[in-house]
Amino acid sequence: MSGLLTFGETMGVVSAEGIGALDHARGFTFGIGGAESNVAIGAARLGAPVTWLGRVGDDASGDLIARRLRAEGVAAVVIRDPSFTGLMVKHRRTGALLTVDYHRAGSAGSRLAPSDVPADAVRAAAIVHVTGITPALSDSARAAVFQAVETARAAGVTVSVDVNYRAKLWSRFDAAPVLRDLVARADIVFAGPAEAALFVDGPPLDGLAALGPAEVVVKDGARGCTALIDGERHAVAAPDVAVVDPVGAGDAFVAGYLADRLAGAQPAARLATAIAAGAWAVTVPGDCEGLPTRADLAALASATDDVLR
């Protein structure tokens, strides 16, 4: 293989319809979600060759994950595990506050191990992408991430890291040294300002770059992004869009950047695609359902009306 290789936990996602406390919800939708699989689907929709690897339970949620990834054109290496597929529950407590709860302790995805990630697949990839979520799941999952990263580095394969700190999975004190070590091994790093502040001092771009990555991208939501890529600084504003569901926007951003990098685009073009992909994703409910295609991004860029005819 060549292209993008990523791995981690993908979960079933239960989303309450409407706004208000969960106990008053009367309708729900069920989908899939997970940072790494969101990136995989997003990059595949933009034309990149992508492989995702992970453990899922031998249950209906695991079946759905396998089908959905393969239907999206992702080469999914699905390892069946006797434990259950993890679950995410989302509800919009108010119009401005989305709450996400996890049910993943002891899940199939948390049982990922170094032996699950073949060294040959890592060496054959153009980019290996990992997140700071997987090391929080278990000791074996953390070992899998660091082993894959070291294998990639030894083979000259580009390592991409999205910090993706999740306070519900581990404390900032436990996370900080692990995330710092992971970023120090990366060629490309993505982080939000608050995430960077967990383990670097001063301006996030400079602090992250000082750890070693040649490509540092700070995602800042509706404020757009800043980047320091091979010594050159960039700043890109985000377009003004109506936010329906912010979950998955950061993954869409990463997918856009990595897909363009694989296609040989220059840094400014990569960042423009990333910003557009993130903006598109927030306008649609779901973790991965609204990830855009190239045609979607072109429509966003050229739209002068709210109806396409």
Side-chain angles (χ1 to χ4, degrees), residues 15-117:
S15 300
E17 297 175 349
I19 298 173
L22 188 61
D23 52 346
H24 297 305
R26 293 295 177 265
F28 297 85
T29 60
F30 191 84
I32 70 169
E36 298 84 3
S37 56
N38 291 346
V39 170
I41 291 171
R45 287 189 183 179
L46 295 173
V50 184
T51 297
W52 173 91
L53 181 151
R55 286 180 176 261
V56 301
D58 190 14
D59 49 32
S61 297
D63 294 343
L64 176 62
I65 289 166
R67 287 197 305 270
R68 182 74 61 83
L69 286 168
R70 290 165 180 159
E72 294 287 353
V74 175
V77 181
V78 177
I79 303 168
R80 294 290 183 165
D81 188 278
S83 192
F84 61 94
T85 301
L87 189 67
M88 180 192 304
V89 179
K90 296 164 52 178
H91 74 283
R92 189 170 288 281
R93 185 64 182 86
T94 71
L97 179 64
L98 182 70
T99 299
V100 178
D101 295 323
Y102 297 122
H103 302 271
R104 58 201 305 185
S107 67
S110 73
R111 291 155 60 102
L112 186 77
S115 59
D116 293 334
V117 188

Side-chain angles (χ1 to χ4, degrees), residues 6 12 28 49 71 84 95 105-106 111 115 125 136 157 171 177 196 201 221 230 232 305:
T6 188
F28 297 85
F84 61 94
R111 291 155 60 102
S115 59
V157 174
S171 74
D201 297 322
D230 297 326
E232 183 178 355
D305 201 350

